[in-house]
């Protein structure tokens, strides 16, 4: 059971808009056993769109299209659908009433125009999918055992249509296999080292279960994917293979992706143990605090952060002794330790994380090699500081350091 996603819009091709729609659609289809065969992004161009429709119809069962449904002349998806299906546009009374209602309720300062009313024009062969969040309806056309579904490119409108209309209809139209994914999150060991450790297990996986390595800046996700006609048998096989895998990597496993992120695990530990946390961040620029505060209820354990990017902030706010910086430089274990101590005393918390390092591209106030990072944890019973070499790309250095900070913090909390 295969699907293809076609995104229409020059804005995607020139990088002005990031295609998050395809990721969402792919996940939703996968939940009901439909595999995405291909994702295609194309211009707002008639010939290009027609060719994409033809090619997709010859290789998949379902074609999902987003974009090109606005009321302006550059949005040509509806017209091209009509040409592809030898159809014509007709006015849909329900869509027109919905468009007029939206303008009356929410856009009363702008009179509805004939251009806006054109949103009610749909191919006569299409089943209209109600879009409660916008003026452009979804459209479903079935021909020669292939289902074409066109949706607006606006993400929250597309998501509404996918969850409320598209997925329920596809679940009825097609008999689908079961697909199960299980993604195990690991920290502290590289992709090749993990592969060497679990090679014998991987070589003996059943033919219907596959393993994928997903490395990403300090962590490696191991995704087990199984496909089969019987859900209970597939789930049992997945559980059996997971049970064999876990003992091989127990020391680096931090949970399942669909369960909790590492920062959520840390948050739960802090909450359960009634502990508090503060941070002092230099080159990470508040990203540790950002991840923490994205979790609901963070105010129960997180007291605040100091983004001491400049040397003066380390001295004046965190009370890092100036002579300590002069003796060891801002990128040093001594300064990282002093920053953690300063944050802990300033915020009056049980734990404090501090980061200082040289993320590049220049060396800044230190002669430390680009990629040199120090992470310090100041806790109720122990104080640790570790040095790392995180590479030469700024984004990579920052992201790996944030991940490592949470990893170190979790280990220290577990000692309590």
């Amino acid at each position: 059971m295969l699907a293809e996603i076609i995104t229409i819009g020059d804005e995607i091709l020139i990088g002005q808009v990031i295609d998050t729609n395809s990721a969402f659609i792919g996940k939703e289809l996968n939940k009901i056993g439909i595999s995405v065969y291909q994702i295609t992004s194309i211009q707002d161009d008639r010939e290009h769109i027609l060719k994409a429709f033809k090619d997709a119809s010859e290789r998949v069962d379902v074609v999902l299209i987003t974009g090109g449904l606005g009321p302006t002349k550059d949005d040509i998806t509806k017209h091209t659908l009509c040409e592809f299906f030898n159809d014509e546009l007709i006015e849909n009374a329900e869509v027109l009433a919905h468009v007029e209602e939206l303008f009356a309720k929410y856009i009363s300062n702008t009179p509805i125009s004939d251009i806006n009313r054109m949103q009610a024009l749909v191919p006569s062969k299409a089943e209209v999918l109600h879009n409660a969040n916008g003026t452009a309806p979804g459209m479903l056309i079935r021909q020669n055992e292939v289902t074409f579904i066109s949706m607006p490119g606006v993400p929250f409108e597309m998501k509404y249509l996918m969850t409320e209309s598209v997925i329920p209809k596809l679940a009825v139209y097609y008999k689908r296999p079961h697909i199960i994914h299980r993604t195990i999150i690991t920290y502290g060991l590289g992709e090749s080292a993990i592969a060497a450790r679990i090679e014998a297990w991987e070589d003996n996986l059943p033919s219907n279960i596959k393993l994928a390595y997903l490395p990403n800046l300090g962590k490696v996700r191991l995704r087990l994917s199984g496909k089969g006609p019987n859900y209970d048998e597939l789930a049992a096989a997945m559980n059996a293979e997971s049970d064999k895998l876990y003992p091989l990597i127990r020391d680096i496993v931090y949970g399942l992706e669909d369960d909790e992120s590492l920062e959520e695990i840390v948050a739960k530990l802090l909450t359960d143990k009634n502990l508090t946390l503060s941070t002092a961040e230099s080159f990470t620029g508040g990203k540790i605090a950002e991840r923490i505060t994205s979790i609901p209820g963070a105010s129960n354990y997180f007291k605040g952060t100091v983004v001491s990017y400049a040397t003066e902030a380390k001295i004046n706010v965190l009370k890092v002794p100036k002579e300590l910086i002069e003796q060891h430089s801002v990128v040093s274990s001594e300064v990282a330790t002093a920053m953690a101590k300063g944050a802990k005393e300033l915020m009056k918390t049980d734990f404090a994380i501090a980061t200082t390092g040289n993320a590049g591209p220049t060396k800044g106030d230190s002669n430390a090699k680009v990629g040199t990072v120090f992470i310090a944890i100041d806790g109720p019973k122990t104080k640790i500081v570790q040095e790392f070499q995180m590479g030469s790309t700024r984004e990579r250095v920052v992201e790996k350091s944030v991940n490592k900070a949470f990893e170190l913090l979790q280990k220290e909390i577990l000692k309590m």
Side-chain angles (χ1 to χ4, degrees):
M1 181 69 201
L2 299 176
E4 181 163 336
I5 302 169
I6 299 176
T7 60
I8 300 175
D10 297 345
E11 64 275 12
I12 295 174
L13 297 175
I14 65 174
Q16 189 175 29
V17 172
I18 297 173
D19 176 23
T20 58
N21 285 352
S22 293
F24 179 84
I25 293 170
K27 286 181 180 179
E28 294 302 304
L29 292 175
N30 203 262
K31 290 176 183 177
I32 62 168
I34 299 177
S35 300
V36 175
Y37 177 80
Q38 182 166 309
I39 298 174
T40 306
S41 294
I42 57 176
Q43 298 174 335
D44 289 294
D45 175 80
R46 170 186 161 275
E47 291 186 5
H48 201 171
I49 295 173
L50 288 172
K51 185 177 188 305
F53 288 175
K54 180 178 182 297
D55 292 346
S57 68
E58 294 173 352
R59 58 190 172 219
V60 298
D61 307 288
V62 182
V63 182
L64 297 109
I65 307 150
T66 65
L69 293 181
T72 53
K73 292 180 180 179
D74 62 326
D75 290 312
I76 61 173
T77 299
K78 286 193 294 188
H79 296 280
T80 313
L81 280 169
C82 283
E83 184 173 351
F84 183 76
F85 288 105
N86 191 27
D87 200 0
E88 62 179 356
L89 292 173
I90 61 171
E91 185 177 279
N92 183 287
E94 292 182 359
V95 176
L96 179 60
H98 175 62
V99 172
E100 291 176 339
E101 181 184 10
L102 287 178
F103 267 81
K105 281 185 176 181
Y106 305 112
I107 322 175
S108 55
N109 59 334
T110 303
I112 188 171
S113 67
D114 290 339
I115 292 178
N116 301 124
R117 292 188 177 93
M118 287 175 64
Q119 292 286 59
L121 296 177
V122 298
S124 67
K125 297 178 182 178
E127 177 185 350
V128 173
L129 308 179
H130 177 62
N131 176 12
N133 294 332
T135 60
M139 297 169 288
L140 185 152
I141 305 175
R142 299 191 74 192
Q143 180 172 289
N144 299 328
E145 303 302 319
V146 179
T147 302
F148 278 75
I149 299 169
S150 179
M151 297 174 286
V154 180
F156 75 92
E157 295 184 28
M158 176 277 298
K159 290 178 180 179
Y160 173 84
L161 284 165
M162 278 295 296
T163 55
E164 296 298 320
S165 296
V166 175
I167 293 299
K169 288 182 182 295
L170 292 178
V172 171
Y173 290 162
Y174 296 100
K175 183 178 180 179
R176 298 147 284 110
H178 296 283
I179 299 174
I180 299 176
H181 295 292
R182 183 167 300 163
T183 303
I184 301 166
I185 303 174
T186 72
Y187 284 85
L189 205 60
E191 176 184 9
S192 59
I194 295 174
R197 187 188 286 193
I198 66 175
E199 182 178 8
W201 168 84
E202 184 178 358
D203 289 342
N204 288 286
L205 280 172
S207 60
N208 65 331
I209 297 178
K210 308 296 182 185
L211 174 69
Y213 295 83
L214 307 171
N216 181 25
L217 303 176
K219 67 180 179 181
V220 178
R221 293 175 295 164
L222 303 176
R223 188 189 68 223
L224 279 171
S225 299
K227 182 185 291 187
N230 185 293
Y231 180 84
D232 291 337
E233 291 179 2
L234 182 61
M238 289 284 283
N239 289 337
E241 294 307 319
S242 295
D243 290 344
K244 296 175 189 175
L245 174 60
Y246 269 98
L248 303 176
I249 56 172
R250 192 181 306 279
D251 59 316
I252 58 172
V253 170
Y254 282 82
L256 294 174
E257 184 170 75
D258 293 338
D259 293 341
E260 295 174 309
S261 65
L262 183 53
E263 51 266 34
E264 288 172 326
I265 293 171
V266 167
K268 186 175 180 180
L269 285 171
L270 290 168
T271 302
D272 290 346
K273 294 177 179 290
N274 196 29
L275 298 168
T276 54
L277 174 68
S278 58
T279 61
E281 302 187 56
S282 183
F283 72 97
T284 50
K287 290 190 178 295
I288 297 173
E290 180 184 8
R291 285 220 204 154
I292 294 168
T293 55
S294 68
I295 302 169
S299 60
N300 292 326
Y301 52 85
F302 184 64
K303 300 308 176 185
T305 186
V306 175
V307 181
S308 54
Y309 208 71
T311 300
E312 292 81 2
K314 295 177 179 67
I315 297 170
N316 297 331
V317 180
L318 294 173
K319 306 305 179 185
V320 177
K322 184 178 180 180
E323 55 272 19
L324 191 71
I325 294 175
E326 291 173 346
Q327 183 178 356
H328 299 284
S329 92
V330 289
V331 181
S332 63
S333 61
E334 291 81 5
V335 169
T337 301
M339 288 171 62
K341 179 184 177 183
K344 183 181 176 184
E345 293 179 351
L346 179 66
M347 307 286 183
K348 296 179 173 57
T349 56
D350 298 300
F351 279 96
I353 303 174
T355 62
T356 183
N358 188 349
T362 60
K363 291 187 175 181
D365 292 341
S366 171
N367 289 322
K369 180 182 176 182
V370 171
T372 301
V373 167
F374 290 91
I375 302 174
I377 309 287
D378 193 328
K381 297 181 180 179
T382 60
K383 297 174 177 59
I384 66 163
V385 60
Q386 291 190 23
E387 177 181 359
F388 303 94
Q389 293 296 325
M390 297 297 193
S392 58
T393 304
R394 183 176 182 83
E395 291 78 8
R396 177 183 176 86
V397 171
V398 171
E399 190 68 17
K400 287 185 70 175
S401 300
V402 172
N403 289 336
K404 180 59 70 172
F406 282 113
E407 178 189 340
L408 295 176
L409 178 60
Q410 186 204 26
K411 290 177 180 178
E412 291 306 304
I413 297 172
L414 288 173
K415 294 177 182 179
M416 296 290 292

